[in-house]
């Protein structure tokens, strides 16, 4: 029965759900009446009713024979919710403690990686690229230097929670962008004031006209390469993340040269200048700007 499934979804077992529904229909009843209507086996009906009483959804009259009454669903289902909520919170607390303990244990495992070790991964779809961005900002420890493509606007928006966490950890973020990337301020203006204040104080942004590739350097050890579509440079084709200290060093030097030619962008002034927040490129995904 559909009603039984609903009750099972919130924490009653099949017999408990059947017995409770029978009591709602029958009113005050004895166990023998309930078992016949609910088809709960007679050998289990008393334990089922005792369990329902313990969960606060059934009341029992201590007479001979005992009689039972279903508590109003408005009250009983809230009681089930609070009970399940407390159980889940206890489980989460235990899980959190286990995770923190595991972190400390795993940190003690010796790292035998070679200094010249190179490792790369690739993201192709929009969802994969957004996951890339989140992972980059969740793992960064010191700095991010990035020249984002125009289609990176939606990526920045998606990664904002991790970006603000990185800022809280003291990560220095420098963003060198084309003037078209100023559309970013339209979505930033919709953020909570606390987030905006962090970004205004901590994001170092400059605008530059002349650069032919888009890339990022993370912690001076990892390079992020943005590959535009060959027939439309405003569409993303793929993103590659390369852990290569030597490559990162070379690109960092290139970034510094471009950075020194850039014009500083005052995020506060840009936000004040924005007249239509949140309406950049209406009707189109930033991954498909023409």
């Amino acid at each position: 029965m559909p009603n039984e499934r609903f009750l099972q979804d919130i924490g009653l077992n099949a017999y408990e759900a059947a017995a409770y529904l029978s009591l709602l229909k029958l009113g005050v009843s004895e166990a023998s009446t309930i078992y016949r209507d609910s088809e709960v086996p007679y050998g289990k009906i008393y334990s089922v009713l005792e369990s329902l009483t313990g969960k606060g959804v059934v009341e029992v009259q201590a007479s001979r024979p005992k009689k039972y009454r279903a508590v109003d669903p408005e009250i009983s289902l809230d009681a089930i919710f609070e009970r399940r909520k407390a159980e889940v919170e206890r489980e989460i607390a235990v899980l959190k403690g286990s995770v923190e303990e595991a972190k400390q244990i795993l940190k003690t495992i010796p790292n035998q990686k070679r200094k010249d070790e190179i490792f790369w991964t690739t993201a192709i779809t929009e969802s994969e690229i957004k996951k890339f961005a989140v992972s980059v900002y969740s793992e960064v420890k010191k700095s991010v230097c990035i020249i984002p493509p125009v289609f990176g606007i939606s990526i920045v928006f998606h990664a904002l929670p991790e970006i603000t966490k990185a800022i809280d950890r003291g990560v220095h973020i420098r963003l060198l962008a084309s003037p078209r990337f100023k559309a970013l301020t339209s979505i930033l203006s919709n953020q909570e004031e606390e987030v905006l204040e962090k970004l205004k104080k901590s994001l170092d942004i400059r605008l530059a006209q002349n650069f032919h590739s888009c890339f990022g350097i993370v912690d001076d050890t990892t390079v992020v390469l943005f590959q535009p579509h060959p027939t439309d440079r405003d569409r993303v084709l793929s993103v590659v993340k390369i852990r290569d200290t030597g490559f990162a060093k070379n690109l960092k030097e290139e970034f510094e040269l471009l950075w020194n030619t850039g014009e500083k962008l005052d995020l506060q002034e840009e936000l004040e200048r924005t007249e239509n927040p949140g309406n950049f490129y209406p009707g189109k995904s930033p991954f498909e700007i023409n």
Side-chain angles (χ1 to χ4, degrees), residues 122-131 236-239 287:
T122 304
I124 298 176
T125 66
E126 181 176 338
S127 62
E128 288 177 348
I129 291 168
K130 287 179 177 179
K131 289 179 182 178
V236 62
L237 181 64
S238 66
V239 177
F287 277 75

Side-chain angles (χ1 to χ4, degrees), residues 39-283:
E39 298 183 356
V40 174
Y42 188 76
K44 292 183 177 296
I45 191 64
Y46 286 100
S47 63
V48 167
L49 291 169
E50 183 179 351
S51 177
L52 288 171
T53 302
K55 291 180 177 179
V57 298
V58 166
E59 293 178 334
V60 59
Q61 176 182 298
S63 56
R64 289 179 179 270
K66 290 181 179 180
K67 293 185 178 181
Y68 300 87
R69 170 186 172 274
V71 176
D72 187 311
E74 286 287 336
I75 299 172
S76 63
L77 298 190
D78 282 344
I80 292 174
F81 171 78
E82 293 299 331
R83 183 188 184 96
R84 290 292 305 279
K85 180 182 175 183
E87 291 173 354
V88 169
E89 287 175 347
R90 286 194 294 271
E91 290 173 2
I92 290 175
V94 172
L95 176 61
K96 183 175 177 60
S98 298
V99 168
E100 293 303 320
E101 183 180 0
K103 286 180 182 178
Q104 298 304 316
I105 293 172
L106 295 177
K107 283 180 182 178
T108 64
I109 297 176
N111 190 334
Q112 300 179 9
K113 69 177 182 179
R114 302 185 304 274
K115 290 184 177 180
D116 61 345
E117 186 177 47
I118 298 174
F119 182 80
W120 58 268
T121 51
T122 304
I124 298 176
T125 66
E126 181 176 338
S127 62
E128 288 177 348
I129 291 168
K130 287 179 177 179
K131 289 179 182 178
F132 248 40
V134 170
S135 70
V136 165
Y137 284 101
S138 63
E139 294 176 1
V140 61
K141 293 179 174 60
K142 297 178 181 178
S143 66
V144 176
C145 302
I146 188 165
I147 303 177
V150 173
F151 53 67
I153 293 174
S154 70
I155 302 174
V156 172
F157 178 72
H158 185 79
L160 266 180
E162 289 302 328
I163 292 174
T164 54
K165 289 178 185 177
I167 289 172
D168 288 340
R169 296 196 302 271
V171 173
H172 183 208
I173 301 175
R174 290 192 290 166
L175 189 153
L176 180 64
S178 72
R180 290 183 64 193
F181 206 85
K182 287 200 292 184
L184 174 67
T185 57
S186 296
I187 56 172
L188 291 182
S189 62
N190 287 331
Q191 302 304 307
E192 295 180 0
E193 188 60 32
E194 182 181 355
V195 173
L196 273 179
E197 287 303 315
K198 288 181 182 179
L199 296 175
K200 286 187 286 189
K201 291 179 181 178
S202 305
L203 274 187
D204 199 353
I205 305 176
R206 292 190 184 184
L207 302 179
Q209 296 281 359
N210 300 317
F211 51 81
H212 304 291
S213 61
C214 300
F215 59 86
I217 306 102
V218 182
D219 285 337
D220 295 334
T221 60
T222 302
V223 172
V224 179
L225 299 178
F226 301 92
Q227 178 62 48
H229 194 280
T231 61
D232 184 353
R233 295 190 64 81
D234 284 341
R235 289 177 55 200
V236 62
L237 181 64
S238 66
V239 177
V240 182
K241 183 168 64 175
I242 308 169
R243 297 184 183 277
D244 183 342
T245 303
F247 189 25
K249 180 180 179 181
N250 292 335
L251 275 186
K252 181 70 174 295
E253 293 172 356
E254 179 70 16
F255 179 88
E256 296 295 349
L257 293 174
L258 293 168
W259 181 259
N260 292 334
T261 66
E263 176 186 354
K264 183 175 178 59
L265 175 70
D266 190 314
L267 188 56
Q268 176 66 46
E269 291 181 3
E270 285 299 317
L271 288 168
E272 292 174 354
R273 196 176 293 132
T274 302
E275 295 181 354
N276 299 304
N279 294 326
F280 67 102
Y281 304 113

